[in-house]
Amino acid sequence: MKQIPSLLLCILLASLIMACGSKEKASNAVRYQFDHIIDIAYTPDTAVRCTGWFTDQGSWMGFTLPQTDRWVNGFCGPFSIDKRNWMAKAAVTAHFGKAPKEVFTPDSTNYYPGELYLSARSASGKISQQLLFADATTALLSVYADTAGELCFTGNDWAPGTTFALDQTTVIATHPSGEIVSIGFTPDTRITCTDTNYQAICEGGKKVSISLSFFYNEKEKVAGMQKAATVLCQPDSFIQANNKRWEEYLSRILRKDMPKEYDRIAVKSVVTLLSNWRTNRGGLLHEGIIPSHAVGYFVGFWAWDSWRFSVALARFAPELAKNNIRAMFDYQLPDGMIIDCIYTNPEENNARDSKPPLAAWAVDEIFTHTQDTAFVREMYPQLLAYHRWWYLKRDHNRNGICEFGSTDGTTEAAAWESGMDNAIRFDNAQMVKNDAENAWSFDQESVDLNAYLAQEYQLLKKFASLIGQPFEEKDYTADVANYFFDTETGFFFDRRLSDGSFVKEEGCEAYIPLWTGIATPEQMERAMKLLTDTTKFATYIPFPTVAADNPKFMPKGYWRGPIWLDQTYFAIKGLRNYGYNDRADACTKQVFDRLQGLKNGAPIHENYGTHTGECLKAPHFSWSSVHLLLLYEEYGKQANDITK
């Protein structure tokens, strides 16, 4: 071995490192079975496109893979998810030191769950790069070259006005917004900085580790720099921790009896949820999940979104699920109200309305998967106060049946409170003032709201028993199903306050008595006539937001026709509740097989075309991911038939 030239020895060692890494990637982790999980290829220019980013650990920064036809030899970003700034086209690009301006041709790119990978080659050799998150502020970049010699790193196209400083072996790039990117190198690296960029040179022939940290301001930077240094001191331990964490996520949700293409849907759902995970910052006092990081106005926490997210997270990330609930209850008002949404800047919070009461469902799912009675005990008083708030502020005629409403008397906010912003059933609704302060209601009682409250009542009763508390709440829920069921039509509808007449717009609100199980078997049997009618609800993608034969049906009309997967899930789960398991499985297959791009690289969207399965509103949408995960979990399983 001593007779082998040193250069050749370096090449052999580098090749061995790469080969071992490839072997481990191919055989040692579940995540690598799910390559190209979502297409996030995008090389940024001056415009910010709603494309989606790779992000993890609750970080407020994201990265994309470069487009092969607009290649830069590094991961694009970071991108500020809160302030919507590209800090650079690529904060770190890699080249060979002997030819720093050499052109690289892309070899491969990949987005695995929790990891990005790219490789490219030039006349001098091949460079491969791996990116993963060490924690919420720092990403770890690992670089391998198949050729010995120096490697050169520099940034590409920094945002105008960015300033640079050098702190030992860390480059500090400060954006005009005040946000900061720090790029940490190992002590053997030679670094120079100018007014517009930096250059770092180190020896190749080995794995090169670089830290990429993102800080909201100088205070965050001071607190986080030491953690970033720790990542560079022991990079392998952070890589192993990342592998372990993602292995646990996926092992907790994947089934051994499902088709691989359906496994992919489940994994994509987990990836989507965790790409929308944000750690506490500013007015967000706990970590939680946002609806979609790809759309600026969705970078906050919403109430009924959060309850859904925690239902799914309970299965694979229960501590995050708990904090996600706590985040909304941090802003519970003295009268018990949970406000609509909260942001990093509390001045942007919306307290004009609440959202449908699904919080107790989320807490129950967390208890089911963790048996954590301490969390139930913690949340119970707040849940009880929220339950009472509905009857205090949203029951206009004090008959124990509630209405959606608002604190400012506007129909806009009342529609928001229902969660179904432009639903057909509210087209002619008006506002009425209630006898409590800052309380208005729609002049119609809603079936879905009262079905949710009926479920919540039973769960609160269960929680009280679990923690040894007396439960003396008045039961308004026993006759909810009969109250909202129209025997003439055989379906559930809202009712007008003025005369008790039904608002006969056949819509998804009728799924909720089936999902909560409060409908009688006879009512379910009557409803099946509409649910199995191909002109109404048995559409190409089943269970739209309104019956497809409604004259007001709009294929792209938000809540006036498209498929929302939460509502489709509620209907399918309703089928299972009443023993229609084969029908539920058939409907689940329609969802999995017909939604465009679902089994391929397209992101999961906010809603879909009823008759086409086409992707409609916001991509990378969390609550769609939640209900796909629940459909995956329940597919092929015989649920308890509540009629027996």
Side-chain angles (χ1 to χ4, degrees):
M1 180 66 76
K2 292 180 181 178
Q3 297 173 352
I4 299 175
S6 58
L7 178 60
L8 179 58
L9 180 59
C10 288
I11 294 172
L12 288 172
L13 288 172
S15 299
L16 181 61
I17 290 170
M18 290 295 293
C20 290
S22 299
K23 181 178 179 182
E24 181 181 359
K25 183 166 289 190
S27 61
N28 199 35
V30 174
R31 73 161 82 176
Y32 299 122
Q33 299 174 24
F34 301 96
D35 56 346
H36 304 287
I37 190 65
I38 303 175
D39 180 6
I40 56 166
Y42 179 58
T43 304
D45 50 28
T46 55
V48 176
R49 199 177 73 186
C50 292
T51 171
W53 289 264
F54 165 63
T55 180
D56 190 13
Q57 293 271 58
S59 181
W60 288 87
M61 70 172 164
F63 298 86
T64 61
L65 292 164
Q67 294 167 251
T68 56
D69 60 344
R70 299 180 60 218
W71 188 258
V72 292
N73 206 38
F75 300 106
C76 296
F79 176 80
S80 167
I81 291 171
D82 190 14
K83 294 195 175 181
R84 317 307 283 178
N85 299 316
W86 282 101
M87 309 300 285
K89 183 174 289 186
V92 180
T93 59
H95 307 270
F96 290 105
K98 62 184 179 181
K101 295 185 179 181
E102 213 168 37
V103 174
F104 277 79
T105 302
D107 181 41
S108 66
T109 63
N110 217 316
Y111 180 7
Y112 300 102
E115 178 188 313
L116 290 187
Y117 173 84
L118 65 79
S119 65
R121 61 182 68 248
S122 71
S124 300
K126 175 180 174 180
I127 296 178
S128 301
Q129 303 179 57
Q130 174 199 52
L131 186 73
L132 51 80
F133 278 80
D135 58 31
T137 58
T138 300
L140 175 61
L141 175 63
S142 301
V143 183
Y144 310 82
D146 69 353
T147 303
E150 290 182 337
L151 288 176
C152 177
F153 301 96
T154 189
N156 185 308
D157 196 10
W158 288 92
T162 300
T163 60
F164 296 86
L166 185 61
D167 182 354
Q168 299 182 50
T169 56
T170 299
V171 176
I172 309 295
T174 303
H175 189 274
S177 68
E179 295 170 308
I180 299 166
V181 176
S182 74
I183 307 164
F185 296 92
T186 51
D188 57 345
T189 308
R190 305 191 308 275
I191 308 171
T192 57
C193 274
T194 69
D195 291 340
T196 58
N197 210 340
Y198 73 92
Q199 185 180 77
I201 297 174
C202 65
E203 288 299 319
K206 60 180 180 178
K207 180 177 75 171
V208 176
S209 297
I210 302 169
S211 66
L212 266 162
S213 301
F214 177 78
F215 305 111
Y216 192 65
N217 52 34
E218 185 69 22
K219 182 179 179 181
E220 270 194 11
K221 188 201 81 170
V222 171
M225 288 286 284
Q226 185 58 48
K227 291 176 65 177
T230 303
V231 172
L232 277 188
C233 288
Q234 42 186 323
D236 288 343
S237 67
F238 284 92
I239 292 172
Q240 292 165 9
N242 181 280
N243 288 336
K244 181 176 183 291
R245 179 169 58 88
W246 274 94
E247 196 78 6
E248 289 176 352
Y249 290 151
L250 301 184
S251 65
R252 289 173 180 173
I253 60 101
L254 284 172
R255 296 169 53 177
K256 295 180 179 179
D257 59 345
M258 291 290 272
K260 281 297 179 185
E261 61 267 28
Y262 290 0
D263 288 341
R264 186 174 180 84
I265 294 169
V267 172
K268 186 189 288 190
S269 298
V270 171
V271 169
T272 300
L273 281 164
L274 294 182
S275 73
N276 287 325
W277 172 14
R278 297 290 163 263
T279 193
N280 55 297
R281 166 175 285 177
L284 303 179
L285 305 182
H286 283 89
E287 64 182 345
I289 305 292
I290 63 175
S292 169
H293 67 270
V295 182
Y297 55 77
F298 275 142
V299 183
F301 300 159
W302 271 257
W304 78 328
D305 300 59
S306 294
W307 316 144
R308 290 172 161 85
F309 304 159
S310 290
V311 166
L313 292 168
R315 289 150 168 78
F316 63 91
E319 292 308 310
L320 176 55
K322 295 172 190 176
N323 285 332
N324 189 61
I325 290 174
R326 291 174 176 128
M328 292 306 307
F329 276 93
D330 285 335
Y331 285 89
Q332 187 170 29
L333 300 183
D335 62 4
M337 179 184 179
I338 296 297
I339 66 174
D340 180 23
C341 58
I342 59 176
Y343 294 91
T344 54
N345 179 1
E347 293 180 2
E348 298 177 7
N349 294 356
N350 178 38
R352 295 169 62 193
D353 54 271
S354 187
K355 275 291 189 284
L358 289 166
W361 174 43
V363 171
D364 188 53
E365 288 291 319
I366 291 171
F367 174 75
T368 298
H369 288 86
T370 65
Q371 298 300 297
D372 186 353
T373 53
F375 182 66
V376 174
R377 187 180 300 277
E378 172 192 343
M379 297 308 305
Y380 178 74
Q382 294 171 280
L383 291 169
L384 187 60
Y386 186 36
H387 184 77
R388 289 170 174 170
W389 173 84
W390 286 98
Y391 294 97
L392 174 67
K393 295 294 182 78
R394 294 291 186 269
D395 180 6
H396 179 72
N397 59 6
R398 300 299 177 195
N399 66 341
I401 301 292
C402 294
E403 311 87 29
F404 289 117
S406 63
T407 63
D408 63 0
T410 65
T411 56
E412 177 185 59
W416 289 349
E417 186 162 279
S418 76
M420 302 180 185
D421 304 8
N422 65 337
I424 289 173
R425 60 174 161 150
F426 299 130
D427 281 356
N428 298 311
Q430 302 293 321
M431 300 303 294
V432 292
K433 180 70 174 71
N434 297 332
D435 55 15
E437 183 181 358
N438 298 325
W440 282 262
S441 286
F442 269 143
D443 61 351
Q444 66 189 60
E445 299 161 324
S446 287
V447 56
D448 49 341
L449 171 57
N450 288 279
Y452 290 136
L453 288 168
Q455 179 197 55
E456 186 174 70
Y457 177 87
Q458 294 301 324
L459 291 174
L460 288 170
K461 189 175 182 179
K462 171 185 173 179
F463 297 159
S465 176
L466 279 172
I467 63 176
Q469 292 290 319
F471 188 75
E472 300 173 350
E473 296 302 299
K474 186 174 181 180
D475 184 0
Y476 297 107
T477 68
D479 202 44
V480 165
N482 289 334
Y483 185 81
F484 288 102
F485 189 74
D486 174 32
T487 56
E488 179 183 352
T489 311
F491 213 55
F492 294 97
F493 299 104
D494 285 6
R495 297 185 70 161
R496 297 180 180 89
L497 284 174
S498 58
D499 57 7
S501 61
F502 290 106
V503 181
K504 290 195 176 181
E505 300 285 6
E506 296 160 354
C508 60
E509 57 274 9
Y511 308 155
I512 308 308
L514 314 178
W515 173 65
T516 57
I518 65 171
T520 67
E522 293 75 22
Q523 288 168 346
M524 178 62 177
E525 186 176 357
R526 293 285 310 280
M528 283 296 288
K529 182 178 179 181
L530 280 74
L531 298 177
T532 57
D533 187 335
T534 56
T535 69
K536 293 184 179 293
F537 296 106
T539 43
Y540 179 73
I541 309 296
F543 306 121
T545 43
V546 295
D549 63 351
N550 190 310
K552 297 180 182 178
F553 179 94
M554 298 170 61
K556 297 183 180 181
Y558 213 55
W559 285 94
R560 301 175 78 86
I563 292 293
W564 287 76
L565 287 171
D566 63 323
Q567 302 302 308
T568 292
Y569 168 75
F570 289 147
I572 291 175
K573 180 64 171 177
L575 292 174
R576 294 194 190 282
N577 285 341
Y578 292 85
Y580 297 96
N581 289 292
D582 291 344
R583 183 84 187 182
D585 285 343
C587 290
T588 301
K589 275 185 61 65
Q590 286 178 276
V591 171
F592 285 175
D593 295 342
R594 294 177 177 180
L595 291 185
Q596 292 182 11
L598 189 59
K599 294 185 287 186
N600 300 312
I604 294 169
H605 279 67
E606 183 177 4
N607 44 29
Y608 291 85
T610 299
H611 299 307
T612 62
E614 65 181 307
C615 302
L616 296 179
K617 294 289 185 179
H620 304 275
F621 205 69
S622 293
W623 95 19
S624 297
S625 303
V626 167
H627 295 94
L628 288 169
L629 201 57
L630 296 178
L631 288 170
Y632 169 88
E633 179 181 86
E634 295 166 8
Y635 176 72
K637 295 183 177 179
Q638 298 298 304
N640 292 328
D641 182 351
I642 67 170
T643 67
K644 294 180 180 179

